[in-house]
Amino acid sequence: MKMKKMSFLAAIVAAGGLSAADIELPKPETQGGMPLQEALQSRRTGRSFSDRALPREVLSNLLWSAIGVNRDDGRRTAPTALNRQEITLYVCIPEGTFRYDAAANKLVQTSEKRAGDAPLMVIFTADTARQPERFCHVDCGFVGQNIYLFCASQKLATVFRASFKAEDYRPLLNLGENEQILYVQAVGYPK
């Protein structure tokens, strides 16, 4: 009987497109927050992080602010050239590595392992079959700035990195043929 219940639960999870390791994020807060001018005034780069993990609510709000869906037609909080939406975010958190599914506002696990030196590592990838690479770099900049402004509003430390070891992250992501890692952004509570 117990085995049947477990199989039934596994079938329900699989039918919903959610593995046991995937994480449903809380609905992001899309109203209020720090005024833009204050966030711009507070925006800083921070390279020293405490070990404290970000609560799910903060993670959900950060990812929505970065590249979440903010319109009924599926468009995002960060622009992309010709609305190609070629940027995908992956995150390394204490539970492992996940791809952010913006439409469903959930994390889809790609590995039980993680990399990086902060409680949250955001990995920016681009599908260069959908967008010429030169536009991908600009589009990543928009997303990275959204994260910087969110971090300023929440008093979080963050640093956007072009220098990193891609080989530390690539095995964790399960990338598509035309998908490449462009940047990494570390986020956490300041030390």
Side-chain angles (χ1 to χ4, degrees):
M1 181 69 169
K2 188 175 187 179
M3 185 62 133
K4 285 184 181 180
K5 282 184 182 179
M6 288 178 61
S7 296
F8 179 70
L9 179 59
I12 289 173
V13 168
L18 188 67
S19 79
D22 292 348
I23 298 173
E24 290 284 346
L25 293 171
K27 184 177 176 165
E29 295 175 17
T30 60
Q31 303 291 314
M34 179 183 278
L36 177 60
Q37 296 303 97
E38 282 183 47
L40 289 167
Q41 177 65 32
S42 299
R43 195 220 51 80
R44 307 260 185 290
T45 294
R47 292 177 175 85
S48 183
F49 309 97
S50 80
D51 292 337
R52 181 177 159 203
L54 274 62
R56 291 278 190 265
E57 296 78 17
V58 173
L59 182 58
S60 179
N61 293 341
L62 181 145
L63 291 170
W64 179 85
S65 297
I67 199 166
V69 175
N70 68 348
R71 288 168 268 183
D72 293 337
D73 65 1
R75 293 181 189 238
R76 308 288 183 89
T77 57
T80 58
L82 302 172
N83 193 35
R84 295 279 169 87
Q85 298 184 12
E86 80 283 5
I87 305 301
T88 299
L89 297 183
Y90 292 81
V91 296
C92 291
I93 57 176
E95 296 87 345
T97 302
F98 299 80
R99 178 181 50 79
Y100 176 55
D101 178 341
N105 194 48
K106 72 178 180 182
L107 298 177
V108 178
Q109 190 163 41
T110 58
S111 177
E112 292 180 359
K113 297 178 181 176
R114 71 174 313 274
D117 61 346
L120 171 63
M121 298 300 296
V122 181
I123 302 101
F124 295 71
T125 68
D127 183 341
T128 56
R130 296 176 74 181
Q131 186 79 278
E133 189 174 339
R134 66 190 176 108
F135 293 122
C136 297
H137 291 282
V138 172
D139 294 343
C140 278
F142 295 133
V143 177
Q145 182 68 345
N146 282 2
I147 294 173
Y148 260 103
L149 292 173
F150 177 84
C151 289
S153 76
Q154 299 295 305
K155 297 180 177 37
L156 295 170
T158 189
V159 59
F160 192 86
R161 296 178 177 154
S163 296
F164 59 92
K165 293 180 182 175
E167 63 271 13
D168 289 348
Y169 296 97
R170 191 172 284 111
L172 307 175
L173 305 182
N174 194 22
L175 297 177
E177 182 180 333
N178 298 307
E179 198 173 10
Q180 60 180 293
I181 301 170
L182 297 182
Y183 303 101
V184 173
Q185 191 163 2
V187 177
Y189 290 98
K191 200 177 240 186

